[in-house]
Amino acid sequence: MTDLSKDEWPATGRTAQDRTLPDNDRSRPDARPLSGRPALVLGAGVAGLALATALRRHGAEVSILEQAPRITEVGAGLQVSPNGARVLQALGLDPDTIGDRTEAVELRDHAGRLVSRLAMPQEGPGFYLCHRADLIAALEQAMREAGTRVQLLQKVEEITLTDTGARIRTAIGSDHDTPLVFGADGLHSPLRRTLDGPRNPFFTGQVAWRALIPGDGGARVAQVFMGPGQHLVSYPLRGGTLRNIVAVQERRVWAEEGWNHPDDPAALQSAFHRFGGPVPGWLETVRELYLWGLFRHPVTRHWHDGKGRAALLGDAAHPTLPFMAQGANMALEDAWVLARSLAAKPGDAAGALRDYATARQDRVTRVVGMANANARNYHLRAPLAPLAHGVLRIADRVAPSLALKRFSWIYDHDVTA
């Protein structure tokens, strides 16, 4: 049994892990308010890896339980916006080495005609087109360099909150005791079930396909092709050597939730056969395709247990539809705010977790709501679609930066300040 439990988070002396922290951090007594205090993170995705690294910067002794045989991500793109890029920088990572800075975002109709083009800032924290595997690899390296312990093949079966913390039992029969556990283990988090009870997500009537195809070395532009009841998003990855495709369609036939359900490329070609521009050529090159149903999940009611033993972050707390490209960014923000809250109140974990929940609840709820609304905006039908597209074209000529300013409350937000 792994025993991380203590009567409380005692401030012990420097551990071997502390020697992995930069000298300038160790030289200031107030730089590591969580020194020697144990914590257990469930899940080694974006949220879990970022949280482990952030906690280690404050001196905590962090362990991660991951159910997979190795830390990896496959076959998907994501977008990191300035609010997420600031967290990566604060963790010591350079977003320019993880992804490609976005030059522009284009909205096009389903025939391929340009509706609006938004040039993206090229200075300061910017927007990035990233392969998910590259982001995970960078976060994993930072986590390991910080001295976090990782145990693989640890699928969580049972979580019991105790008087002194939590006991986690895994599928292989191992027990892990800890005074503080964090659920960063995604959509089907066992810790969320423990804290919040059963969820009742509902099928949105939309399904999504994702695919990676060979790239054409084109410009670093994210394109959204909007059609009646469906849309397709595409952007280059890894210097244009790959192209990411996500296609969404409204339909009544239910599809299972999850990212890894194979589908026939012919189904995608048939669904989007009316789309023009470069879309038909892209879809002809799809060889490996995945389909999943889009479900709307409520933001968790209980971010923490109230007694300073457990908390949720990332998709475990607030799964979001992909229409604002904020899933990874919200996870990064969560991780930073959670670690900072604990460091601000090292003797009051319960109070720290309340502060964290208060800081995050309204913001993520608003972002989730905006993602829900965007799905409708992309799928307009006649006569609304031509009118809306005409308004966008006029706005593009008169006030080209207006669209970006509309979302400044998301992108300009800096949780590291």
Side-chain angles (χ1 to χ4, degrees):
M1 174 166 55
T2 301
D3 189 355
L4 301 176
S5 63
K6 307 284 174 70
D7 291 338
E8 54 184 356
W9 280 14
T12 59
R14 184 177 303 154
T15 66
Q17 288 185 6
D18 290 324
R19 290 193 291 272
T20 66
L21 294 173
D23 287 339
N24 61 343
D25 283 349
R26 294 200 307 269
S27 65
R28 295 183 289 118
D30 63 340
R32 300 187 340 278
L34 304 180
S35 181
R37 302 185 179 191
L40 184 64
V41 177
L42 307 180
V46 172
L49 294 172
L51 176 62
T53 304
L55 287 172
R56 283 295 298 134
R57 290 174 64 88
H58 296 296
E61 296 184 32
V62 187
S63 296
I64 294 179
L65 300 184
E66 166 57 42
Q67 66 177 354
R70 60 193 179 98
I71 300 174
T72 186
E73 275 285 353
V74 295
L78 57 80
Q79 298 181 58
V80 174
S81 51
N83 50 307
R86 293 184 184 96
V87 176
L88 293 176
Q89 291 172 335
L91 293 174
L93 299 173
D94 182 358
D96 286 292
T97 66
I98 298 172
D100 299 321
R101 191 177 282 254
T102 314
E103 293 178 2
V105 174
E106 293 180 350
L107 298 181
R108 294 179 175 270
D109 64 19
H110 72 279
R113 295 182 293 255
L114 182 66
V115 174
S116 176
R117 189 178 197 275
L118 179 62
M120 309 304 282
Q122 298 300 300
E123 297 180 355
F127 295 78
Y128 295 87
L129 308 172
C130 303
H131 196 299
R132 186 179 294 269
D134 297 337
L135 177 59
I136 291 293
L139 288 169
E140 180 188 4
Q141 181 177 351
M143 173 272 298
R144 292 189 182 278
E145 289 177 351
T148 301
R149 295 186 294 263
V150 182
Q151 296 184 59
L152 302 174
L153 295 171
Q154 298 289 320
K155 179 177 173 58
V156 174
E157 291 285 329
E158 182 180 350
I159 299 175
T160 304
L161 298 180
T162 68
D163 290 340
T164 57
R167 170 166 290 187
I168 292 86
R169 171 157 290 185
T170 67
I172 61 174
S174 61
D175 289 334
H176 305 265
D177 288 328
T178 178
L180 188 55
V181 61
F182 301 110
D185 43 352
L187 196 62
H188 304 292
S189 167
L191 185 59
R192 172 154 177 169
R193 292 197 300 270
T194 300
L195 296 181
D196 212 29
R199 284 189 277 196
N200 296 302
F202 67 88
F203 180 49
T204 63
Q206 298 173 328
V207 298
W209 289 270
R210 68 175 174 90
L212 282 178
I213 61 174
D216 53 12
R220 294 173 277 116
V221 175
Q223 296 175 300
V224 182
F225 297 81
M226 305 173 291
Q230 57 191 146
H231 77 277
L232 183 145
V233 180
S234 183
Y235 49 85
L237 296 171
R238 293 179 175 171
T241 60
L242 293 173
R243 175 167 289 278
N244 189 66
I245 293 175
V246 177
V248 177
Q249 182 186 49
E250 297 176 7
R251 74 182 196 188
R252 295 181 179 179
V253 179
W254 179 86
E256 188 175 354
E257 195 170 27
W259 283 64
N260 296 304
H261 308 296
D263 198 22
D264 186 344
L268 176 60
Q269 294 167 6
S270 175
F272 285 81
H273 72 278
R274 291 189 176 91
F275 276 52
V279 172
W282 291 341
L283 298 189
E284 287 178 2
T285 67
V286 173
R287 297 293 177 266
E288 188 173 348
L289 182 68
Y290 296 91
L291 169 72
W292 76 100
L294 297 180
F295 286 72
R296 190 175 297 177
H297 295 256
V299 175
T300 186
R301 297 166 298 173
H302 302 108
W303 289 68
H304 59 98
D305 71 306
K307 295 184 178 180
R309 299 169 296 183
L312 301 168
L313 68 156
D315 282 350
H318 46 79
T320 179
L321 295 176
F323 306 128
M324 278 301 299
Q326 282 297 302
N329 295 288
M330 290 298 104
L332 290 168
E333 286 188 8
D334 285 351
W336 186 270
V337 174
L338 179 49
R340 183 188 63 196
S341 298
L342 290 163
K345 292 185 175 179
D348 181 12
L353 297 187
R354 285 194 297 270
D355 291 347
Y356 157 68
T358 299
R360 299 303 295 156
Q361 176 78 40
D362 290 346
R363 176 167 170 78
V364 299
T365 299
R366 189 179 177 191
V367 170
V368 169
M370 186 66 72
N372 296 340
N374 245 15
R376 297 188 294 270
N377 296 336
Y378 290 154
H379 292 182
L380 295 176
R381 294 173 168 85
L384 291 179
L387 293 173
H389 293 177
V391 170
L392 286 173
R393 288 188 174 97
I394 293 172
D396 198 40
R397 292 194 296 269
V398 175
S401 63
L402 184 62
L404 194 59
K405 289 180 180 178
R406 179 187 174 200
F407 301 114
S408 61
W409 63 273
I410 296 179
Y411 304 139
D412 292 350
H413 192 70
D414 185 1
V415 297
T416 70

